């Protein structure tokens, strides 16, 4: 593992290198959040240099300041909630809402959509919304009590299935330590909600954040089918009833029941071969710059 830093011109180099080794580069998690294009992905491919060869790689562009979004937090009476906290994974610390209910979240990843969650400073009231900072929209988050989800599990004969395990999970990037403070607000030690169906096949899970999308996984008892999947969007202060989930009709989920650990690689670019052999590269310079890479 070799750590490299760019110079005042944004350039970096490494060498001389022993012959016969395969070279791979891996950005840190923070850098993958702020890279502006996918060119860095080719760096994870193994490269072998001939003796005496020097190769210059494609420059990488970063926006180290990240993106920002402004919004407003209020209660169900459309009144601003001063002191509310706004969480925006992968950022670990929440942003505090001002007296007018306005907030601004900064340092967001350079690309893609993400979730923000607002929490009341003292009461168990929440609101969530999926946003695109590039859209220029100002989200209005109305804090409400936590929601509930219910449903029923049946088999191919239409009979109720007792003892099926039902698990609800939010978007995968909410796992891990990024939102420990939000977990404490919710009153949980992790972001998994689980229960077992009763003798009537019914299940119920409370404590869901209104506006948040959840994946519903069902593990059927032996002899009743396989593992199945559904989706729901929670509603604050209300119950979302998924109705009967037929184990014979629901598509089976492959063996991917644990959310991907996005700390290891950037979204959409997981490379199992390089995950355990990263070369971390840091950049010191302007918020947006090109970094030529060079092996020597």
């Amino acid at each position: 593992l070799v750590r490299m830093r760019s110079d005042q011109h944004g350039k970096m180099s490494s060498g001389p290198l022993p012959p016969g080794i395969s070279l791979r580069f891996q950005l840190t998690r923070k850098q993958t959040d702020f890279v502006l294009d996918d060119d860095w992905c080719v760096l994870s491919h193994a490269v072998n240099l001939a003796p005496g060869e020097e190769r210059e790689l494609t420059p990488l562009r970063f926006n180290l300041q990240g993106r920002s979004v402004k919004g407003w937090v209020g209660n169900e009476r459309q009144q601003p909630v001063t002191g509310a906290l706004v969480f925006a994974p992968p950022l670990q610390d929440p942003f505090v809402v001002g007296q007018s209910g306005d907030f601004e979240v900064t340092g967001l990843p350079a690309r893609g959509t993400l979730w923000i969650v607002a929490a009341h400073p003292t009461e168990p009231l929440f609101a969530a919304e999926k946003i695109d900072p590039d859209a220029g929209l100002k989200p209005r988050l109305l804090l409400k009590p936590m929601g509930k989800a219910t449903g029923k599990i049946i088999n191919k004969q239409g009979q109720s299935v007792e003892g099926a395990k039902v698990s609800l999970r939010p978007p995968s990037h909410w796992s891990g330590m990024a939102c420990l403070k939000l977990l404490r607000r919710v009153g949980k030690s992790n972001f998994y909600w689980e229960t077992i169906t009763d003798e009537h096949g019914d299940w119920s899970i409370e404590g869901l954040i209104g506006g948040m999308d959840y994946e519903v996984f069902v593990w059927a008892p032996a002899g009743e089918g396989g593992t199945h999947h559904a989706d729901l969007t929670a509603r604050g202060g209300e119950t979302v009833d998924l109705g009967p989930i037929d184990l014979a009709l629901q598509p089976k989920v492959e063996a991917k029941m644990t959310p991907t650990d996005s700390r290891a690689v950037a979204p959409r670019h997981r490379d199992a071969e390089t995950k355990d052999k990263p070369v971390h590269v840091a950049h010191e310079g302007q918020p947006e710059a090109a970094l030529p890479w060079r092996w020597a």
Side-chain angles (χ1 to χ4, degrees), residues 17-257:
L17 301 170
I21 64 171
S22 296
L23 304 175
R24 293 185 177 92
F25 277 84
Q26 177 68 58
L27 301 180
T28 65
R29 168 57 195 271
K30 183 175 182 179
Q31 289 165 341
T32 58
D33 283 340
F34 297 106
V35 68
L36 293 175
D37 46 48
D38 292 331
D39 289 343
W40 71 271
C41 236
V42 301
L43 302 176
S44 63
H45 302 160
V47 174
N48 296 290
L49 300 181
E53 178 183 0
E54 182 176 313
R55 187 177 306 182
E56 185 167 329
L57 304 179
T58 303
L60 298 182
R61 299 181 305 119
F62 290 85
N63 176 7
L64 297 184
Q65 289 182 338
R67 297 180 295 173
S68 63
V69 64
K70 295 181 179 180
W72 183 86
V73 177
N75 56 27
E76 295 184 84
R77 299 185 297 276
Q78 303 290 327
Q79 299 170 333
V81 178
T82 303
L85 300 178
V86 178
F87 298 84
L91 305 181
Q92 295 192 21
D93 295 321
F95 292 76
V96 180
V97 174
Q99 292 185 352
S100 61
D102 295 322
F103 68 87
E104 180 177 9
V105 176
T106 60
L108 296 173
R111 297 183 298 166
T113 59
L114 64 145
W115 287 90
I116 58 174
V117 174
H120 193 279
T122 58
E123 302 176 31
L125 304 174
F126 301 87
E129 185 173 332
K130 190 175 184 179
I131 64 168
D132 180 359
D134 293 330
L137 302 178
K138 184 178 180 180
R140 291 176 60 87
L141 302 173
L142 298 181
L143 302 180
K144 297 181 180 181
M146 306 191 79
K148 180 180 179 181
T150 60
K152 187 181 187 69
I153 308 301
I154 60 176
N155 58 22
K156 60 183 179 181
Q157 289 81 28
Q159 301 170 332
S160 301
V161 176
E162 180 181 1
K165 180 180 177 181
V166 181
S167 176
L168 270 62
R169 303 182 182 184
S172 61
H173 63 267
W174 284 85
S175 62
M177 299 297 292
C179 280
L180 181 59
K181 295 180 181 179
L182 178 57
L183 277 172
R184 291 170 178 167
R185 292 272 175 175
V186 176
K188 289 178 58 63
S189 59
N190 58 61
F191 274 112
Y192 300 155
W193 288 253
E194 295 181 343
T195 189
I196 301 295
T197 56
D198 61 18
E199 66 272 19
H200 305 293
D202 296 326
W203 61 271
S204 174
I205 294 180
E206 300 180 348
L208 306 180
I209 298 174
M212 178 72 75
D213 290 343
Y214 293 85
E215 293 182 286
V216 183
F217 296 97
V218 180
W219 287 268
E224 295 288 357
T227 301
H228 303 268
H229 171 263
D231 297 293
L232 70 85
T233 299
R235 295 198 293 264
E238 301 180 28
T239 297
V240 176
D241 186 6
L242 293 184
I245 297 179
D246 190 337
L247 296 180
L249 298 179
Q250 293 295 320
K252 290 188 177 182
V253 177
E254 300 297 331
K256 296 180 181 179
M257 305 312 298

Side-chain angles (χ1 to χ4, degrees), residues 2-24:
V2 178
R3 298 180 183 271
M4 301 170 58
R5 289 186 176 273
S6 56
D7 60 20
Q8 66 270 25
H9 305 293
K11 295 184 178 181
M12 60 185 68
S13 64
S14 178
L17 301 170
I21 64 171
S22 296
L23 304 175
R24 293 185 177 92

